[in-house]
């Protein structure tokens, strides 16, 4: 039964993330894809021809480059290569302008393939592995399903998985790394090392919260046979996962010691502290959690239930180390966001820089569910989950990148301006000529039965 549940969960999450899209010319999406296109089609990391179309870029010696960690661009290379081979198109075949219809379609296809084969796929894998981890700590398949759905569909991880931003990928890699640490042994720690190393290639600041997972995995492995060898495997695979970063820097800049962030133009705040990271500010932390403009509580109310759940994990002797690790990742992710000069993330629905906390925070959801004793309490918990999924369905289908200046992102930029007016991005309305509402309805035709089947499986198993 549980093998079927895992398959259904994977399909539900991947389908839900791949079905919706984001604006391909958002600077974060565009600059990453421009760099991938330049590498595939021109054999160069320079994005000079595309530079006028994005405000996100680095400049060295008069040439424009990707200004971010290269992980998402490297993950997008297969999507660009496949689309080029299938369609026979290259960027040079179009007028390189944001509102040129041919180039817009060119960019949209490659962005959607990159999102479906990158963030959406990793989020689906992480949802299944989170189910396994939650099952181990709670002993309840219902609790594990509650946690997995809360993470993948009840937070903006859903929306960020429709983009080629790095937030959902780092969150998924943290879950994958923690799963490897729980499994232990050489194979498990190899997974941990690879996941954490690649998380740094995707987002440099992932090294901070990722270090908590690495230290926990090493501590947890201390009593295993051949513990020294296993820890060496973790370190070795982590280094291996970092090699593409060094290779990209050498390819792009001729040296491994230069990164795109050091040449950012137009964002002077990146020169403060360490590429924009200074000291955490408590007023910013409060805004990240509670403000109507960026507050996490408004876009992911389900995570409020994770807080007591994490406390329960820490209190339990058997789960204490896991609870401390998960809470550590959550706290560091929040503090890193609060220390960032551009903490609000510009165009964003919710605090995007804090989203890597979502997967491991969701472990608390499993423990929270397992501690509930009354049917009424579980009904209320399901209501919070349903509300969170509904909110994030609206966000994922309408606008994960709310305008920076909007006071209430969810209400004004997402609900009023886009969702109720039918400005949605689904596969059917972008590619098949359907209406946006028909595209949304077809998602529901597939997803709702899958959710119902998962719930039925849990009820049938009485777990």
């Amino acid at each position: 039964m549980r093998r079927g549940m895992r398959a259904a969960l994977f399909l539900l999450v991947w389908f839900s993330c791949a079905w919706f899209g984001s604006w391909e010319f958002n600077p974060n999406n565009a600059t990453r894809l421009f760099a991938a296109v330049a590498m595939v089609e021109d054999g160069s990391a320079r994005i000079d021809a595309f530079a006028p179309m994005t405000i996100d870029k680095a400049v060295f010696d008069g040439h424009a480059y990707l200004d971010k960690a290269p992980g998402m661009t490297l993950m997008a290379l297969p999507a660009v290569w496949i689309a080029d081979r299938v369609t026979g198109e290259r960027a040079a075949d179009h007028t390189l302008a944001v509102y040129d219809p041919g180039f817009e379609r060119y960019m949209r296809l490659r962005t959607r393939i990159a999102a479906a084969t990158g963030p959406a796929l990793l989020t689906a894998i992480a949802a299944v592995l989170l189910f396994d981890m939650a099952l181990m700590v709670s002993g309840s398949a219902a609790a594990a399903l509650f946690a997995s759905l809360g993470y993948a569909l009840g937070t903006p991880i859903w929306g960020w998985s429709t983009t080629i931003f790095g937030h959902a990928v780092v969150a998924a890699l943290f879950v994958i790394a923690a799963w490897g640490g729980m499994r232990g042994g050489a194979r498990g720690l190899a997974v941990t090392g690879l996941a954490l190393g690649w998380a740094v290639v995707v987002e440099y600041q992932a090294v901070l919260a990722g270090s908590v997972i690495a230290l926990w995995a090493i501590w947890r492995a201390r009593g295993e046979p051949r513990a020294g060898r296993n820890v060496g495997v973790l370190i070795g695979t982590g280094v291996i996962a970092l090699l593409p970063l060094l290779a990209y820097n050498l390819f792009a800049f001729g040296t491994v010691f230069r990164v795109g962030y050091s040449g950012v133009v137009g964002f002077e705040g990146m020169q403060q502290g360490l590429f924009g990271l200074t000291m955490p500010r408590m007023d910013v932390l409060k805004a990240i959690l509670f403000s109507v403009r960026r507050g996490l509580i408004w876009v992911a109310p389900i995570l409020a239930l994770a807080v007591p759940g994490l406390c329960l994990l820490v209190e339990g002797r058997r789960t204490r180390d896991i609870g401390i690790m998960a809470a550590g990742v959550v706290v560091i992710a929040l503090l890193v966001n609060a220390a960032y000069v551009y903490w609000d993330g510009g165009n964003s629905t919710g605090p995007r820089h804090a989203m890597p906390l979502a997967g491991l925070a969701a472990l608390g959801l499993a423990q929270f569910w397992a501690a509930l004793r009354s049917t009424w309490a579980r009904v209320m918990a399901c209501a919070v989950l349903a509300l969170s999924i509904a909110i994030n369905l609206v966000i994922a289908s309408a606008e994960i990148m709310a305008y920076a200046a909007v006071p209430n992102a969810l209400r004004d930029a997402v609900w009023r301006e886009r969702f109720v007016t039918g400005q949605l991005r689904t596969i059917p309305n972008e590619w098949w000529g359907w209406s946006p509402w028909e595209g949304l309805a077809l998602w529901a035709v597939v997803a709702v039965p899958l959710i119902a089947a998962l719930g039925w499986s849990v009820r049938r198993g009485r777990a």
Side-chain angles (χ1 to χ4, degrees):
M1 179 184 72
R2 286 177 183 167
R3 181 176 296 179
M5 285 186 65
R6 291 177 178 88
L9 178 61
F10 175 89
L11 179 60
L12 169 66
V13 173
W14 181 83
F15 169 73
S16 296
C17 294
W19 192 250
F20 301 107
S22 63
W23 188 41
E24 51 277 357
F25 285 109
N26 175 278
N28 271 276
N29 274 334
T31 196
R32 289 179 167 100
L33 195 68
F34 290 156
V37 169
M39 292 173 71
V40 171
E41 297 184 357
D42 301 325
S44 170
R46 295 174 179 175
I47 59 169
D48 296 342
F50 307 103
M53 292 182 285
T54 178
I55 60 173
D56 286 0
K57 54 200 166 194
V59 174
F60 299 101
D61 303 321
H63 295 287
Y65 296 86
L66 173 72
D67 64 337
K68 308 178 189 305
M72 296 308 300
T73 287
L74 298 177
M75 289 175 65
L77 292 177
V80 175
W81 187 88
I82 291 169
D84 282 6
R85 295 304 179 275
V86 171
T87 65
E89 287 183 298
R90 294 168 55 90
D93 298 332
H94 302 281
T95 300
L96 301 185
V98 171
Y99 293 108
D100 176 75
F103 187 57
E104 186 176 18
R105 188 176 181 85
Y106 168 96
M107 287 287 291
R108 182 181 302 136
L109 176 62
R110 286 150 184 80
T111 303
R112 299 299 184 272
I113 295 174
T117 57
L121 181 62
L122 282 173
T123 296
I125 291 170
V128 174
L129 297 185
L130 180 64
F131 178 90
D132 286 345
M133 293 169 64
L135 187 60
M136 283 188 274
V137 299
S138 70
S140 165
L145 181 61
F146 185 73
S148 294
L149 292 179
Y151 152 67
L153 301 184
T155 73
I157 288 296
W158 186 356
W160 295 118
S161 297
T162 71
T163 75
I164 54 174
F165 288 52
H167 312 307
V169 168
V170 172
L173 290 170
F174 281 175
V175 171
I176 293 168
W179 177 87
M182 287 186 69
R183 175 175 175 173
R187 291 183 179 180
L189 294 187
V191 170
T192 300
L194 289 170
L196 292 179
W198 189 252
V200 175
V201 181
V202 172
E203 296 284 357
Y204 297 134
Q205 65 269 29
V207 69
L208 299 173
S211 295
V212 174
I213 304 172
L215 292 173
W216 164 79
I218 292 170
W219 178 87
R220 193 175 174 92
R222 71 194 187 286
E224 296 178 355
R226 308 185 72 177
R229 181 205 64 173
N230 295 344
V231 170
V233 167
L234 186 156
I235 296 171
T237 53
V239 171
I240 289 170
L242 288 171
L243 292 179
L245 169 61
L246 304 181
Y248 171 82
N249 288 344
L250 189 62
F251 171 76
F253 309 121
T255 173
V256 298
F257 299 109
R258 175 180 284 179
V259 296
Y261 279 130
S262 64
V264 170
V265 296
F267 294 91
E268 290 74 16
M270 294 298 292
Q271 306 308 315
Q272 299 182 32
L274 181 62
F275 299 132
L277 286 179
T278 57
M279 293 296 292
R281 293 167 44 195
M282 296 311 296
D283 60 324
V284 170
L285 181 59
K286 182 179 178 181
I288 290 168
L289 292 172
F290 304 114
S291 71
V292 293
R293 178 167 173 256
R294 285 291 181 270
L296 186 61
I297 192 66
W298 299 104
V299 293
I302 190 65
L303 290 183
L305 306 184
V307 176
L310 288 175
C311 292
L312 290 171
L313 283 174
V314 173
E315 289 175 1
R317 179 176 298 179
R318 184 178 63 87
T319 59
R320 182 167 298 148
D321 64 301
I322 298 169
I324 292 173
M325 177 273 295
V329 170
V330 171
V331 169
I332 290 178
L334 289 171
L335 292 178
V336 168
N337 193 170
Y340 188 39
V341 172
Y342 300 110
W343 66 269
D344 65 348
N347 290 353
S348 175
T349 306
R352 65 185 178 92
H353 293 297
M355 290 319 300
L357 64 79
L360 294 177
L363 275 177
L365 294 177
Q367 202 70 0
F368 175 84
W369 178 275
L372 299 178
R373 292 293 175 261
S374 71
T375 300
W376 175 246
R378 292 187 173 183
V379 168
M380 293 300 294
C382 286
V384 176
L385 175 60
L387 173 63
S388 291
I389 292 175
I391 289 171
N392 285 283
L393 171 60
V394 171
I395 292 171
S397 63
E399 188 56 83
I400 188 59
M401 291 168 281
Y403 301 131
V406 175
N408 189 320
L410 184 60
R411 183 193 66 195
D412 299 329
V414 179
W415 178 256
R416 290 179 178 175
E417 186 171 329
R418 293 194 62 85
F419 189 82
V420 299
T421 60
Q423 297 184 58
L424 314 181
R425 294 187 178 97
T426 71
I427 288 176
N429 72 271
E430 287 191 327
W431 299 103
W432 305 343
W434 293 26
S435 76
W437 297 117
E438 290 170 335
L440 184 65
L442 186 54
W443 170 84
V445 166
V446 176
V448 171
L450 282 172
I451 295 173
L454 287 166
W456 180 81
S457 296
V458 166
R459 184 174 179 81
R460 183 186 180 191
R462 296 291 190 270

